[in-house]
Amino acid sequence: MTTEAPAPEQPAGPKWKNPYVIGFVLGAVFLTVLPFAQRRFLKAPPPIAPLGAWTLSTIDDGQPFGSTQLAGKVFIAFFAAAPCEAACLEAQQAFGRGLEHSDDLGDQVHFVTIARDTAAPALKTLAKGRWHLVTGPDEKLGPVLQAFHGAWGKFAGTDAGVTLAEHISLPAFVLVDQNGMVRGFWRDDSAGRGNAINAARLLAKYGPNP
């Protein structure tokens, strides 16, 4: 009884033709190029209008707070209805929770809630760290809100002439860059909050003039 001799082993091909090697190399190239591709295609929105100099007072301790304290920092502004009741408080708390998504950027990103003085008592305990809740009498608050709304008019192509009450009920997050330029508006929902935070992160990481 005879047995057939085993077939001779085929010589291994070049290592560069090994699919595992090819996959490893392509993966390494992808991970190297990805940050540059993201930087090219993910950009913060362009400037809309300057916010100008402004000063209000913090709700918790009455200290002056405004453009001077925020110079060189990115911030997202949000507005509180007056009076600030259950739905308003829930919206403000959701806004404040978003701050944790910029913790890694330290002092570069701040959140600011702007409220009429009649809403201040309900908001007094919410301020923390990089989240500032500010207010002022209508004669000081009015010009600040009109500056925001002037930028909104340019952004949306609408008439900027509104009353104080109409503007402060505008459901929008507003992004302001390190130079005090308004950069964008987003709706008050989870998607809008996420997009505003992502844009703020881009400005904080790459600056207002990339």
Side-chain angles (χ1 to χ4, degrees):
M1 182 176 180
T2 60
T3 57
E4 294 184 3
E9 291 186 4
Q10 296 295 322
K15 288 186 177 181
W16 64 268
K17 289 187 177 182
N18 186 310
Y20 296 103
V21 174
I22 294 173
F24 176 81
V25 171
L26 290 177
V29 170
F30 176 77
L31 291 175
T32 302
V33 172
L34 180 60
F36 298 98
Q38 288 179 323
R39 180 69 196 99
R40 180 175 180 181
F41 295 108
L42 296 177
K43 294 184 178 180
I48 299 171
L51 192 57
W54 59 279
T55 302
L56 294 172
S57 300
T58 54
I59 288 174
D60 56 337
D61 58 12
Q63 295 299 307
F65 188 88
S67 53
T68 298
Q69 289 74 20
L70 291 166
K73 307 180 191 305
V74 179
F75 72 94
I76 299 174
F78 192 41
F79 306 96
C84 189
E85 299 176 335
C88 166
L89 281 173
E90 183 177 347
Q92 291 300 325
Q93 290 164 347
F95 174 58
R97 287 194 296 271
L99 194 61
E100 66 186 34
H101 298 294
S102 63
D103 283 348
D104 59 309
L105 298 172
D107 192 47
Q108 298 180 70
V109 177
H110 289 246
F111 280 23
V112 179
T113 290
I114 299 174
R116 296 186 78 175
D117 51 10
T118 52
L123 301 169
K124 193 170 184 178
T125 62
L126 297 182
K128 58 180 180 180
R130 293 176 291 116
W131 182 18
H132 316 277
L133 290 94
V134 298
T135 189
D138 285 359
E139 59 269 21
K140 292 190 68 174
L141 195 60
V144 179
L145 295 177
Q146 287 294 346
F148 275 107
H149 202 83
W152 168 253
K154 291 183 179 180
F155 176 76
T158 62
D159 180 10
V162 295
T163 67
L164 187 68
E166 286 171 335
H167 179 85
I168 209 160
S169 63
L170 181 69
F173 302 110
V174 189
L175 177 64
V176 182
D177 70 17
Q178 297 94 325
N179 296 330
M181 295 291 294
V182 175
R183 301 292 287 253
F185 293 80
W186 289 267
R187 291 184 180 277
D188 176 16
D189 54 31
S190 57
R193 187 181 305 108
N195 289 332
I197 292 171
N198 286 336
R201 290 183 59 84
L202 288 169
L203 286 171
K205 292 174 70 174
Y206 302 110
N209 302 300

